[in-house]
Amino acid sequence: MAPAEDLANTPAERAAAADKAAGAAADLADFADAEEVVVDGKDSIIVVGAGLVGALCAVVLRKKGFKVQVYERYQDIRSIPSTGRSINLSVTSRGLRAIKSLGGSIYDDIVGQLATKVMGRIIHMPDGKVLFQRYGKDDTEHNYSASRIDLNKFLLNAAQDAGAELHFDHALAESSDFSGDAGSILHFRQGPPGGPQRLFKVRATCPVIACDGAGSRVRYAMRNAGLTSFTEDLLTRGYKEVLFPKPPEGQHFGAKGEDGGEACDGRYGLHIWPRGDHMLMALANRDGSFTGTIYMDIKGSDEAFEAFADTPEGRQKCTDFCQKHYAEAIPLVGGLDSLVNQIVTNPTGILGTVRTERWAAKANVLLIGDSCHAMVPFFGQGCNCGFEDTLWLSRLMDKFCCD
């Protein structure tokens, strides 16, 4: 008797599910004879992901006396330049509480060496007016701006100095199994993308903490085993990095306090150029430059990243677009050619929201940060939520499983 047709999904969805299942089976077969490494004992913890949350989590765990192994799919970011697809972080007191809880000088080092105060929003209106919207009642209430890359490098150094073992170019496969009664089996491909890769398994009888971001392979492996479910809602808009050079001494593009408004030095504001279906934003760096981000539709034949291809026609469309909507920002970015070249050539980042039903399974694995609750950067809370996750993890471990 033929199996009943799956009427809950379209033919395309059924085909995609079949392809995914076949890929997972192929992954499992690939690792059947792979070399096996054992991570054993109650004093060990594996962290998957060496981004902001993974690096901070490693520092927290080392301070509690655990042996920490960190596996990261990409190469060590401390050895490579920026990819041109970063968004400066808005770090708030909510996120900094986790840093403060570590004690020592790490909080003062981050605030004093990596971060810049942000007093509020500086809105650059289409009619040329510049408005300041303060975050708090006065200058004592503010957020901080920090380079994602620089903060990540700092936390990686802190994790390494604390004694965590860092393993880069280790990509976790979705065939990893977190459903066992006596621990987990992690499948890794070691080596750079496109290069020779070594397959090996890690048999872990210790907990695994997944900090591997919005595209978490741990989360996918958990779903494959029926341990959780989740949704990924991607926006039709994406983003690209736009760098602003340091303005000449004594000059800044802040709010001058016109029409009875409040003034704000441009170095201490979140700059926003709102333009309807797209916008440009910028936050200050410690060296006086600014890291900007332009958001717009990814697909489209007119005002979209797809239309601004690296061709004469695409560059002309981008030129016309910049002159029409961002004329005020052009000199601040270093001129029209600089702005157009960055929009045309920098990689496009995607934006989306991840919602996960269950974050933990069988005391084997725990999802924290973007791996279970990624959000769009407009809220300025992704990093802060992830840091707060580590704080609550630390408190719960102190209460239930640490001497």
Side-chain angles (χ1 to χ4, degrees):
M1 183 176 178
E5 185 178 1
D6 177 10
L7 299 179
N9 296 288
T10 66
E13 289 170 336
R14 295 198 296 271
D19 289 343
K20 191 173 185 64
D27 274 348
L28 197 58
D30 287 343
F31 285 94
D33 299 320
E35 175 189 350
E36 184 171 291
V37 176
V38 177
V39 178
D40 197 5
K42 66 177 183 179
D43 295 332
S44 294
I45 293 183
I46 291 174
V47 175
V48 179
L52 294 167
V53 176
L56 178 61
C57 186
V59 176
V60 170
L61 295 172
R62 280 298 300 147
K63 285 187 173 292
K64 295 182 184 301
F66 290 99
K67 300 173 184 175
V68 180
Q69 305 273 343
V70 181
Y71 292 93
E72 164 60 41
R73 67 179 298 184
Y74 297 114
Q75 68 187 106
D76 190 342
I77 64 167
R78 294 172 295 180
S79 64
I80 58 175
S82 170
T83 60
R85 196 176 58 196
S86 180
I87 297 176
N88 265 30
L89 301 167
S90 180
V91 185
T92 68
S93 58
R94 178 185 185 187
L96 288 171
R97 279 196 292 267
I99 304 292
K100 281 185 176 180
S101 71
L102 295 173
S105 65
I106 188 169
Y107 171 83
D108 291 334
D109 290 343
I110 289 176
V111 171
Q113 300 176 22
L114 300 179
T116 301
K117 291 180 180 179
V118 184
M119 301 299 178
R121 305 177 189 90
I122 298 178
I123 313 295
H124 301 260
M125 302 300 291
D127 63 3
K129 291 183 179 179
V130 182
L131 310 176
F132 174 55
Q133 298 176 343
R134 182 180 288 281
Y135 287 140
K137 66 180 186 297
D138 55 38
D139 285 353
T140 64
E141 297 182 344
H142 53 77
N143 292 336
Y144 288 95
S145 166
S147 162
R148 174 182 291 274
I149 297 295
D150 290 344
L151 182 55
N152 203 165
K153 291 178 178 178
F154 177 89
L155 291 174
L156 282 173
N157 287 334
Q160 192 165 46
D161 291 345
E165 294 187 35
L166 308 180
H167 308 278
F168 296 98
D169 285 322
H170 283 66
L172 186 81
E174 289 181 37
S175 55
S176 299
D177 183 7
F178 298 99
S179 64
D181 293 327
S184 308
I185 300 177
L186 290 77
H187 294 165
F188 287 105
R189 288 184 169 88
Q190 178 188 3
Q197 293 188 327
R198 163 184 169 244
L199 304 185
F200 74 98
K201 298 180 285 190
V202 174
R203 184 176 296 275
T205 59
C206 65
V208 176
I209 300 178
C211 312
D212 52 339
S216 171
R217 297 300 97 183
V218 175
R219 189 178 73 244
Y220 275 84
M222 290 174 65
R223 184 179 68 177
N224 293 344
L227 300 175
T228 193
S229 62
F230 59 86
T231 60
E232 296 174 336
D233 300 314
L234 297 181
L235 300 186
T236 58
R237 293 180 174 87
Y239 67 92
K240 293 196 178 194
E241 181 182 86
V242 176
L243 296 178
F244 291 64
K246 180 180 179 180
E249 194 66 33
Q251 298 183 26
H252 67 84
F253 48 101
K256 295 180 173 57
E258 299 168 338
D259 297 329
E262 190 175 359
C264 181
D265 189 310
R267 294 170 295 180
Y268 304 116
L270 165 61
H271 294 267
I272 305 175
W273 287 262
R275 299 296 185 264
D277 291 335
H278 48 85
M279 67 175 174
L280 177 65
M281 300 175 66
L283 279 166
N285 298 312
R286 292 283 297 186
D287 63 3
S289 66
F290 290 76
T291 297
T293 314
I294 187 165
Y295 301 89
M296 68 170 63
D297 286 333
I298 297 175
K299 299 289 186 181
S301 59
D302 191 10
E303 295 183 347
F305 288 133
E306 183 180 54
F308 302 151
D310 193 4
T311 64
E313 180 184 6
R315 285 180 173 268
Q316 185 58 54
K317 284 186 176 181
C318 188
T319 297
D320 295 342
F321 168 82
C322 293
Q323 291 176 321
K324 177 181 178 181
H325 296 290
Y326 298 105
E328 180 209 354
I330 287 173
L332 307 176
V333 181
L336 182 60
D337 288 345
S338 173
L339 180 55
V340 169
N341 192 60
Q342 292 188 74
I343 294 175
V344 166
T345 61
N346 279 348
T348 303
I350 61 174
L351 302 167
T353 302
V354 173
R355 297 178 178 89
T356 307
E357 180 188 21
R358 293 188 62 193
W359 299 4
K362 295 192 172 185
N364 289 338
V365 61
L366 169 69
L367 302 166
I368 67 173
D370 282 354
S371 70
C372 53
H373 52 65
M375 63 190 69
V376 293
F378 316 127
F379 297 144
Q381 291 299 326
C383 162
N384 295 293
C385 285
F387 283 2
E388 194 171 51
D389 283 356
T390 66
L391 176 61
W392 278 102
L393 174 63
S394 176
R395 289 174 175 174
L396 291 170
M397 292 180 76
D398 288 343
K399 183 176 181 180
F400 293 108
C401 62
C402 289
D403 294 332

